[in-house]
Amino acid sequence: MAFEFHLPDIGEGVVEGEIVKWKVAVGDTVALDQPIVEIMTDKATVEIPSPRAGKIAQINYTEGQICPVGKVLLVIDDGAGQAARAGNGHGHANGNGNGHGHAPARHPEPSAAPQVQLAAGLPVTTAIDVIDATGARARVLATPATRRIARQMGVELGRVPATGKRGRVTTDDVKRFAEGGLAARGAAPAATPAARGFTPVAIAPGGDEERVPLRGMRKRIAESMTRSVQTAAHFTYVEEIDMTELVTVRERAKARAAERGVKLNYLPFIVKAVVSGLKKWPMLNASLDETTQEIVRKKYYHIGIAAQGPQGLVVTVVRDADKRSIFDLSREIDRLGEAVRNGTATRDDLVGSTFTISSLGKLGGVLATPIINFPEVAIVGVHKIEEKPAVRGGQIVIRHLMNLSISVDHRLADGWDGAMFLQDVKTLLEDPTTMFMEMV
């Protein structure tokens, strides 16, 4: 028989999802629990398994389209009985079998829980829109279609009064807000299309080309980066760090780390130095609550580590970094990186950072201007360590040198804050003994 598979509720408050990638086509034979489709909601990228074994008889939504929860996503012919008409959920026999009226709507059978692949509430997506007074992130509920309209109209969802069910911002809410029909949440003026939006650019064919749809994770990254540069007033400051002493310390500690199953690199030391600097310069461990026009200075230190995953850049979160040892930090950073690569990262692994470090390790280059992981205030870029000539005591000597760059939101922090913070980080990294004395 034909089994109608309705898009299940794949998360609290989710009412629709964007079809990112079909893993099957009409006519394909599928097994029970075989992955059939990747769907991106405003909260997660999920991989949905097949609830039945059989043959794909019909696919109702193409890649890039939005499927509402409860609608028939596809039809599977499982060969178990009489064929049923797909799509509208209505029949032509009543409950008494007399051939008149409509059959009661059939409820979809429970399906296997979708597996979160990568982006459950990524800090680099627009799912997180406001911050409450305690510094905890709160979610603006809105469908992907509503978010898309808000972007097109240059409207900040966090400022739109919600009239939808369970506090959801609807498309009509966005349109009314853009037209000035409702007041903003808080004192901040609404962004206008002229200030926030741009006329879409069409790229005319120019030769041998390949066109790849912008959707899923790549689209979320694009949205997040655009929002950051359009909202935060970026400035970047760069400092050269002499890592020679720390290189020596790490070499001595590698054997001890290996005994404990830890592969020790430089990132845990940098995390410790950054946390120490944040305690002295709390403005950089803060966020702006745009709804109340309050600066939220956070007294907890959840350090984001930007990592490249199979679907793009994500930010994993090392919670309470100030309370962890160097070895513990190393284990946690390795665990998070492995989770990203394997697609097993949980929501807690990916949300809630207060400050972010971006590092490409040996590929770190000489200099970069990292984009702030909005709504944080700053981000540090870590660049490669190289042996270079340096002048010490009037002599040219070979030292291990590295650049650190910091991008700061000038709305909340001044150049002085960013420069002094990086100077403190520099002092600790160049003199590891001092850094260990600073640890708590």
Side-chain angles (χ1 to χ4, degrees):
M1 64 179 292
F3 171 73
E4 297 176 352
F5 179 46
H6 300 244
L7 179 64
D9 182 355
I10 50 183
E12 181 180 355
V14 173
V15 298
E16 63 185 13
E18 176 188 337
I19 309 301
V20 176
K21 181 180 180 181
W22 281 105
K23 297 178 177 292
V24 295
V26 173
D28 287 354
T29 299
V30 296
L32 177 66
D33 292 334
Q34 175 183 333
I36 55 176
V37 65
E38 291 179 13
I39 291 182
M40 171 77 77
T41 72
D42 65 335
K43 297 183 178 182
T45 297
V46 298
E47 184 178 80
I48 294 181
S50 175
R52 294 283 182 91
K55 181 178 290 187
I56 303 298
Q58 181 176 323
I59 290 178
N60 293 338
Y61 294 86
T62 62
E63 293 180 356
Q65 285 189 319
I66 303 295
C67 177
V69 168
K71 291 296 184 180
V72 179
L73 182 63
L74 81 165
V75 179
I76 301 174
D77 184 357
D78 62 7
Q82 183 179 359
R85 189 174 70 179
N88 58 16
H90 297 291
H92 294 286
N94 65 15
N96 298 321
N98 60 12
H100 300 288
H102 296 286
R106 187 168 72 251
H107 295 285
E109 294 188 15
S111 61
Q115 177 186 359
V116 178
Q117 283 196 317
L118 249 182
L122 280 180
V124 293
T125 72
T126 58
I128 305 299
D129 283 308
V130 298
I131 304 170
D132 67 23
T134 66
R137 295 186 178 189
R139 183 180 301 278
V140 172
L141 295 178
T143 67
T146 299
R147 294 177 185 279
R148 183 164 54 250
I149 290 173
R151 291 193 300 273
Q152 292 170 351
M153 301 185 75
V155 170
E156 287 286 341
L157 280 176
R159 298 176 182 149
V160 179
T163 64
K165 188 176 180 180
R166 289 188 294 178
R168 182 177 302 282
V169 177
T170 67
T171 298
D172 288 340
D173 292 338
V174 172
K175 291 178 179 178
R176 282 194 296 267
F177 184 85
E179 294 168 357
L182 291 174
R185 292 180 188 169
T192 63
R196 291 299 185 98
F198 301 93
T199 303
V201 175
I203 306 299
D208 186 12
E209 298 174 342
E210 177 186 6
R211 292 193 171 234
V212 179
L214 179 63
R215 62 171 65 112
M217 176 66 70
R218 190 74 258 165
K219 186 174 182 180
R220 293 301 189 270
I221 293 173
E223 292 169 352
S224 179
M225 296 298 98
T226 299
R227 179 176 186 186
S228 180
V229 298
Q230 289 182 347
T231 304
H234 284 63
F235 78 85
T236 300
Y237 174 82
V238 183
E239 185 58 81
E240 184 180 70
I241 314 295
D242 188 338
M243 298 284 283
T244 306
E245 297 301 322
L246 188 55
V247 168
T248 302
V249 169
R250 173 180 172 265
E251 285 298 321
R252 289 204 306 264
K254 282 172 63 176
R256 179 69 63 85
E259 292 173 0
R260 303 186 183 187
V262 175
K263 186 178 179 181
L264 187 62
N265 58 31
Y266 296 103
L267 199 49
F269 297 98
I270 295 172
V271 169
K272 275 297 186 183
V274 162
V275 168
S276 179
L278 292 176
K279 290 182 176 181
K280 294 181 180 179
W281 302 95
M283 188 60 76
L284 299 183
N285 198 54
S287 292
L288 174 63
D289 187 332
E290 295 179 339
T291 65
T292 62
Q293 290 296 284
E294 294 175 326
I295 297 172
V296 183
R297 293 182 177 178
K298 302 167 186 178
K299 299 181 180 180
Y300 48 94
Y301 303 89
H302 302 335
I303 304 301
I305 306 294
Q308 189 69 24
Q311 300 183 35
L313 184 69
V314 298
V315 176
T316 58
V317 183
V318 178
R319 299 187 179 279
D320 298 315
D322 57 318
K323 300 175 183 178
R324 296 176 181 265
S325 69
I326 292 291
F327 287 170
D328 189 24
L329 283 171
S330 187
R331 289 191 193 95
E332 182 67 359
I333 291 170
D334 285 347
R335 182 192 71 80
L336 291 169
E338 188 68 19
V340 167
R341 289 187 292 272
N342 294 338
T344 59
T346 67
R347 174 178 168 77
D348 284 345
D349 292 336
L350 301 169
V351 301
S353 58
T354 62
F355 183 97
T356 295
I357 297 172
S358 179
S359 172
L360 285 176
K362 294 180 180 179
L363 300 177
V366 175
L367 175 64
T369 56
I371 297 175
I372 295 167
N373 184 22
F374 188 82
E376 296 168 16
V377 172
I379 181 173
V380 159
V382 180
H383 308 289
K384 63 182 177 181
I385 300 173
E386 286 188 307
E387 285 187 308
K388 294 182 178 180
V391 177
R392 298 291 184 267
Q395 300 294 319
I396 298 178
V397 294
I398 301 300
R399 306 290 287 182
H400 289 86
L401 302 181
M402 175 189 77
N403 288 341
L404 285 183
S405 57
I406 182 170
S407 293
V408 180
D409 186 347
H410 219 323
R411 298 178 306 162
L412 303 186
D414 297 323
W416 172 263
D417 299 307
M420 292 305 297
F421 164 82
L422 211 55
Q423 288 297 324
D424 283 338
V425 171
K426 171 185 171 75
T427 298
L428 296 176
L429 292 176
E430 292 188 339
D431 186 353
T433 302
T434 303
M435 177 167 58
F436 295 140
M437 290 179 180
E438 293 270 354
M439 291 182 185
V440 294

